[in-house]
Amino acid sequence: MNLSSLVTFLSAILPTTLNATSSNETLTLEHHTQIIHDEARHRDIPVTLYFPNTSNCNKNAPCKVAIFGAGYGMANTDYTFLAKQLNQQGVLMVSIAHELANDPPLSREQPFVKTRNENWQRGAQTVLFVRQALKSQYPEYNFDAVTLMGHSNGGDISALLANQGHSFIDAVITYDHRRVPLPRTKDIKILSVRASDYPADDKVLPTQAEQLQFNSCVVSIANARHNDMADHGPQWLKQQMSLVTAEFLHGKSCKELDVLLNNHNINQ
């Protein structure tokens, strides 16, 4: 089946999600970049907010929030395809620039669980600070039920924070993070979307038995490369990442997500 036929087929069986995904390239993102100053840490934190395409967000019915962390060496603005998809689901995406010019470089020496811990802890503190600052600034968004998201090292930061037991974390979505174990809990909805070229470290991902026990989900995208999971990546990969993200947010089961990716591979 060629790409055109497959898109037509998927449009018929998944009209809402696929149409949103395939059309979002033409959408104009409503976004705002600001600096949030953390006085205690003498840190100026750049954040970019991507606002949903709705005027229905208000204090009495606040819209959903996702806080995103980029991969190391990537800009926090390099994931607009995910921002567009989230916005179409009525979700505010807050993308944090974790790495500042005077920060120490990410360690390349093992064991990463020790040598990179400072980076992850700093990132987790930044997420907590940004969330609290924006909560008072944007009361029309629900910062008490946040989806943590991140690619690569940004996913490691999200996983570390999710293991700390904060009540405001509703879900975690990571894109090929490789170092920090995901929580084993039923209290947080968990999805990890995997590329194909690098394995995760031991015990980072829940086993099949753990996925069933805790209702978490790990899915893989065939032929996907770790470093391509951003705006510069191929269109087919961005479409699959957007699709599985949207369906997860819609409450699809892990089995349904896995079948979706395995049966409807649009990599051409």
Side-chain angles (χ1 to χ4, degrees), residues 106-147:
L106 190 68
S107 175
R108 302 297 181 184
E109 296 185 4
Q110 293 276 12
F112 293 136
V113 68
K114 292 183 178 180
T115 62
R116 293 186 177 181
N117 188 61
E118 181 276 335
N119 177 283
W120 300 332
Q121 293 288 356
R122 170 166 32 91
Q125 291 176 39
T126 295
V127 172
L128 293 174
F129 182 82
V130 167
R131 169 192 169 264
Q132 194 61 42
L134 294 179
K135 180 179 178 179
S136 58
Q137 188 176 354
Y138 296 98
E140 66 272 32
Y141 294 98
N142 188 1
F143 284 89
D144 291 325
V146 170
T147 296

Side-chain angles (χ1 to χ4, degrees), residues 24 27-34 46-54 57 63-70 74-97 134 138 140-141 143 149 231:
N24 72 13
L27 293 178
T28 300
L29 280 173
E30 181 185 350
H31 65 281
H32 168 68
T33 297
Q34 66 185 77
V47 298
T48 300
L49 289 79
Y50 298 94
F51 294 93
N53 308 306
T54 178
C57 306
C63 290
K64 296 180 179 180
V65 174
I67 299 179
F68 187 89
M74 304 284 292
N76 68 314
T77 53
D78 284 346
Y79 301 84
T80 59
F81 72 101
L82 287 175
K84 291 175 182 178
Q85 185 61 270
L86 289 169
N87 288 171
Q88 288 190 348
Q89 313 308 315
V91 180
L92 167 68
M93 176 169 155
V94 179
S95 189
I96 299 174
L134 294 179
Y138 296 98
E140 66 272 32
Y141 294 98
F143 284 89
M149 302 175 66
D231 282 344

Side-chain angles (χ1 to χ4, degrees), residues 4 32 39 48 69 78 119 133 163 212 215 232 242 261 265-266:
S4 177
H32 168 68
E39 180 65 32
T48 300
D78 284 346
N119 177 283
N163 277 299
L212 291 173
N215 198 31
H232 63 262
S242 296
L261 289 176
N265 189 342
I266 56 176

Side-chain angles (χ1 to χ4, degrees), residues 10-225:
L10 286 177
S11 296
I13 63 172
L14 295 168
T16 300
T17 302
L18 187 59
N19 286 343
T21 304
S22 59
S23 65
N24 72 13
E25 293 301 315
T26 63
L27 293 178
T28 300
L29 280 173
E30 181 185 350
H31 65 281
H32 168 68
T33 297
Q34 66 185 77
I35 303 295
I36 301 178
H37 181 66
D38 184 346
E39 180 65 32
R41 294 191 294 161
H42 307 287
R43 191 172 183 83
D44 289 326
I45 306 164
V47 298
T48 300
L49 289 79
Y50 298 94
F51 294 93
N53 308 306
T54 178
S55 59
N56 296 327
C57 306
N58 58 73
K59 293 180 181 180
N60 295 324
C63 290
K64 296 180 179 180
V65 174
I67 299 179
F68 187 89
Y72 187 75
M74 304 284 292
N76 68 314
T77 53
D78 284 346
Y79 301 84
T80 59
F81 72 101
L82 287 175
K84 291 175 182 178
Q85 185 61 270
L86 289 169
N87 288 171
Q88 288 190 348
Q89 313 308 315
V91 180
L92 167 68
M93 176 169 155
V94 179
S95 189
I96 299 174
H98 281 290
E99 313 303 333
L100 304 183
N102 59 344
D103 289 337
L106 190 68
S107 175
R108 302 297 181 184
E109 296 185 4
Q110 293 276 12
F112 293 136
V113 68
K114 292 183 178 180
T115 62
R116 293 186 177 181
N117 188 61
E118 181 276 335
N119 177 283
W120 300 332
Q121 293 288 356
R122 170 166 32 91
Q125 291 176 39
T126 295
V127 172
L128 293 174
F129 182 82
V130 167
R131 169 192 169 264
Q132 194 61 42
L134 294 179
K135 180 179 178 179
S136 58
Q137 188 176 354
Y138 296 98
E140 66 272 32
Y141 294 98
N142 188 1
F143 284 89
D144 291 325
V146 170
T147 296
L148 297 180
M149 302 175 66
H151 170 222
S152 191
N153 195 64
D156 287 320
I157 292 171
S158 293
L160 182 85
L161 184 58
N163 277 299
Q164 294 179 354
H166 300 285
S167 61
F168 70 85
I169 302 173
D170 181 64
V172 173
I173 305 175
T174 71
Y175 303 93
D176 215 43
H177 88 291
R178 299 171 57 206
R179 310 301 181 187
V180 178
L182 287 165
R184 271 62 167 178
T185 177
K186 292 183 178 180
D187 296 331
I188 302 173
K189 297 184 287 289
I190 292 173
L191 169 67
S192 189
V193 183
R194 314 306 302 173
S196 305
D197 48 351
Y198 298 116
D201 288 350
D202 188 37
K203 298 181 180 180
V204 165
L205 304 176
T207 64
Q208 287 289 342
E210 289 173 330
Q211 290 179 57
L212 291 173
Q213 179 182 356
F214 299 112
N215 198 31
S216 56
C217 183
V218 178
V219 295
S220 297
I221 299 179
N223 302 314
R225 297 195 307 175

